[in-house]
Amino acid sequence: MATITERDEAAEQLKQALRGTFDASVMNFGSYNILYAANRCAAATAEIDDADSSAQQRAASAAHLLVGYRRQPVELVLCPVDLREALPRAAGEDSAEPVPSVPVTVNLTNLAGLATDDDGVEITFSTGYRVGLRMCSSVVFEEMPQARIEQRWDVEDFYEFIDFFMDTVEAQTGQHR
């Protein structure tokens, strides 16, 4: 169930700018719940600019991610977001269209491990790349301190989704808890 809350204008513009990046990057974007996450593993991964790099490499090296998830069909998508591009759009300084990024879907074909703790969720791909999602109930970027994204309910729902996702993965692979 969605909870409707009032947001101030700056927060709404920020959320729309981030959603614009996700929508420009992901097919069927409207069917996903999304939230913002910092990648706590990004510092351990070298920055990449190579156009030939894989979506997993890009997600692993991205400091900022939009996490899309849905229960039907069960799917998790990691979409890197460049705050240098998104924040000016949110502040009304740039009216350009959102720049799409290359998202990566997390599924049975590429998932090697998934673990949760109090700090977030760590995803390990079969290629060895790792993404550490650190989700906060309230997000403020220093470049736009007047805008605060409240995502407490989204974070709680995401953790419930991760349980559901892992149950689905285990059922499909024949593993039991």
Side-chain angles (χ1 to χ4, degrees), residues 10-23:
E12 190 59 39
Q13 289 173 328
L14 175 57
K15 195 153 185 149
Q16 290 303 318
L18 294 175
R19 182 76 201 208
T21 298
F22 187 86
D23 293 357

Side-chain angles (χ1 to χ4, degrees), residues 31-112:
S31 63
Y32 291 91
N33 295 324
I34 66 166
L35 67 149
Y36 166 81
N39 182 1
R40 62 186 184 194
C41 294
T45 306
E47 286 294 320
I48 56 164
D49 292 319
D50 184 6
D52 294 328
S53 63
S54 73
Q56 290 176 13
Q57 280 178 298
R58 290 179 186 272
S61 66
H64 308 281
L65 295 163
L66 299 173
V67 181
Y69 62 99
R70 62 183 177 183
R71 288 173 172 81
Q72 191 58 35
V74 179
E75 195 166 53
L76 177 62
V77 176
L78 305 176
C79 180
V81 61
D82 183 351
L83 294 183
R84 296 170 299 184
E85 183 273 330
L87 292 180
R89 282 189 294 107
E93 299 166 7
D94 187 351
S95 60
E97 292 295 314
V99 175
S101 67
V102 179
V104 62
T105 302
V106 180
N107 56 38
L108 283 176
T109 64
N110 62 12
L111 180 66

